[in-house]
Amino acid sequence: MKRKVLGVLFTAMCLCAVPSAAYAEAQEAETTEAAGEAADEPEAGAETVTELSDSLYDFQVKIGDKVYQFPMYYQDFAADWTLGKNEDPEMGVGTNSYGSISFYKGDDRVSVDVINLGINQLPLNQCLVAGIDIDASYDFDVAATPVELPGGIVMGKSNFDDIKAAYGDPSDTYEGDLYTKYSYSKDYYEEVHFYVYKDDNTLKQVDMRNFVEPEGYDKGSVSEEVPEIVSSYTAPTELGDDLLAPQLEFCGDLYSLPAPVSAFLENGWELQNVEDGAYVAGRDLEFVDMMKNNQSAHFSVYNFTQDATAIENCFVRELEVGNYDSDALTLTLSGGFTLGAKKADLIAAAEEKGYSCDEDGDYLNIYKTADTKIDNRAQFWFNKDEDPDTVASVAYRNEILPE
């Protein structure tokens, strides 16, 4: 496995709610002291610009007499704008995650995308501001604070003909009741949206984002410590009597899921095609292959910690074995349920515990409640072409670490 690299998909986080107009008025009294709460500026990263570019895909906007280029460091943006008082600058943002938060300057409000492109969880004030949404139809006065885009496009004055003359045909067009949205997209998460309102045929909203890692960006380092949740793991000595209990037997060894990869390695499994120094980013997952006694298995492993760590410190949260696998691969759940179990026995065991049973086609899902179904469940597949009442594959998932 190669070192973890950033993909094109990000996890969106809900960091804030859109405040009321009354709150916006109260925000005028706030000072810019929040900017001082930001961490010390990193040594390398986003470039500081002073003049507006001619290219839309440089992702720049001039607000008043200041040019902003995205992505940029949070603290550079916060030097000019005040973070909304309901926001927490120390809030943790997971790796490859982003969220929208509000900043104020006087009566003007902007919404910005704050993103963590590093390999460790970071506080909000150490992330990047990678996009901005300026809405002059609602909470930004462009008459008092001019907003200009590359090519001479000015909010509150330019229309679509001006936009097309500056940038050419849009990548996409959407007709709304109040406005027409013209989108210019370079790639995923590299885009600018222009909202031209129909009442006066002028540009009143711009939404820009550029989620590309800036040159020289420090992604952080991999923690060399063994997390306490790994060192405190203890393998069970026997199976439980509840089919949803975390204790299970896999290929002759007992585990309690979630179980660290290191527990599998101690039982003779070996990682395959994993380079030295390979890691999993904070709160992220990776897929790996392991082999034991000439048998290969595919695992999804998850890092429960906020910092990047080695593969062996991550956790296996799900195991599955089917009658289509080698006979050497075995999986037995607590209660003794394994391949060949009868559907009626499974349903009876679940009902005895008050658990829910869902039949979805050839699958039977057993879980405690609808709220815990994602975190903890057993799934059984029945091959209706051979024996619709006998388990042909068994899978167990548990994402809940012991307290």
Side-chain angles (χ1 to χ4, degrees):
M1 186 190 75
K2 296 183 179 180
R3 285 183 173 272
K4 181 76 175 178
V5 296
L6 181 66
V8 298
L9 296 180
F10 299 92
T11 302
M13 301 176 61
C14 182
L15 299 182
C16 67
V18 176
S20 65
Y23 171 69
E25 293 177 1
Q27 195 67 28
E28 183 177 6
E30 294 289 320
T31 69
T32 57
E33 292 178 0
E37 297 177 356
D40 293 337
E41 178 148 355
E43 294 181 359
E47 179 184 0
T48 299
V49 293
T50 57
E51 294 186 3
L52 197 60
S53 165
D54 292 329
S55 172
L56 177 64
Y57 293 131
D58 281 336
F59 298 98
Q60 296 177 354
V61 59
K62 186 176 182 180
I63 304 175
D65 58 359
K66 180 68 176 287
V67 176
Y68 299 88
Q69 179 165 334
F70 303 100
M72 63 186 298
Y73 284 115
Y74 171 99
Q75 50 265 47
D76 290 336
F77 190 85
D80 301 323
W81 294 80
T82 300
L83 181 66
K85 67 179 182 180
N86 290 335
E87 315 287 3
D88 179 6
E90 298 295 331
M91 175 183 176
V93 180
T95 181
N96 292 348
S97 297
Y98 74 94
S100 179
I101 62 174
S102 297
F103 276 92
Y104 294 82
K105 183 183 290 187
D107 293 330
D108 291 332
R109 170 187 171 271
V110 295
S111 177
V112 303
D113 292 319
V114 178
I115 189 169
N116 175 11
L117 295 179
I119 62 174
N120 302 313
Q121 179 173 297
L122 292 174
L124 189 68
N125 59 23
Q126 291 183 23
C127 294
L128 295 169
V129 174
I132 190 168
D133 185 348
I134 306 171
D135 188 353
S137 73
Y138 175 60
D139 51 11
F140 196 102
D141 185 1
V142 291
T145 307
V147 177
E148 183 179 352
L149 282 296
I153 301 302
V154 179
M155 289 188 65
K157 296 182 179 179
S158 299
N159 56 34
F160 174 62
D161 290 337
D162 300 322
I163 294 170
K164 184 176 180 179
Y167 311 130
D169 293 325
S171 308
D172 186 60
T173 300
Y174 168 78
E175 290 288 346
D177 293 335
L178 300 178
Y179 57 77
T180 303
K181 182 175 75 171
Y182 302 99
S183 299
Y184 290 79
S185 302
K186 181 179 180 182
D187 206 340
Y188 291 112
Y189 299 102
E190 297 176 71
E191 55 199 4
V192 184
H193 305 290
F194 297 94
Y195 296 77
V196 175
Y197 276 69
K198 297 180 177 180
D199 57 351
D200 58 3
N201 191 34
T202 60
L203 173 65
K204 292 184 180 179
Q205 183 178 355
V206 171
D207 186 1
M208 173 184 294
R209 58 172 47 177
N210 182 25
F211 287 8
V212 174
E213 180 183 315
E215 184 177 355
Y217 178 69
D218 183 1
K219 295 176 71 69
S221 58
V222 180
S223 174
E224 297 182 358
E225 296 182 2
V226 176
E228 192 276 333
I229 55 175
V230 175
S231 59
S232 64
Y233 171 82
T234 302
T237 57
E238 60 182 2
L239 295 177
D241 59 2
D242 180 347
L243 66 85
L244 290 183
Q247 298 82 23
L248 50 76
E249 177 273 320
F250 180 64
C251 298
D253 298 304
L254 292 174
Y255 300 92
S256 181
L257 258 57
V261 172
S262 57
F264 289 81
L265 300 181
E266 290 171 2
N267 286 330
W269 289 89
E270 297 181 354
L271 290 166
Q272 302 295 301
N273 302 317
V274 174
E275 296 181 355
D276 292 340
Y279 63 87
V280 178
R283 306 289 183 182
D284 204 357
L285 61 83
E286 187 59 86
F287 296 94
V288 298
D289 293 318
M290 288 193 275
M291 176 178 283
K292 178 182 179 181
N293 296 333
N294 300 315
Q295 306 302 315
S296 294
H298 194 60
F299 298 82
S300 168
V301 299
Y302 181 76
N303 178 5
F304 277 104
T305 72
Q306 66 183 24
D307 296 324
T309 191
I311 298 289
E312 55 264 32
N313 294 329
C314 297
F315 282 75
V316 174
R317 302 179 297 177
E318 183 172 14
L319 290 169
E320 179 178 359
V321 168
N323 58 11
Y324 39 76
D325 293 313
S326 166
D327 292 340
L329 294 176
T330 61
L331 176 62
T332 303
L333 307 188
S334 285
F337 295 103
T338 187
L339 295 178
K342 296 301 181 181
K343 180 186 291 187
D345 293 336
L346 290 166
I347 294 175
E351 291 178 345
E352 181 180 353
K353 294 290 185 178
Y355 296 160
S356 298
C357 296
D358 281 348
E359 292 194 56
D360 182 10
D362 299 334
Y363 290 90
L364 173 67
N365 294 289
I366 297 176
Y367 50 92
K368 294 180 181 179
T369 68
D371 292 336
T372 65
K373 182 178 180 180
I374 295 178
D375 297 330
N376 180 214
R377 66 181 180 272
Q379 184 181 76
F380 305 91
W381 175 64
F382 302 87
N383 189 338
K384 62 182 180 181
D385 294 331
E386 296 182 2
D387 188 343
D389 297 315
T390 301
V391 172
S393 78
V394 54
Y396 176 81
R397 182 177 184 86
N398 186 28
E399 299 184 6
I400 306 170
L401 284 170
E403 296 182 359

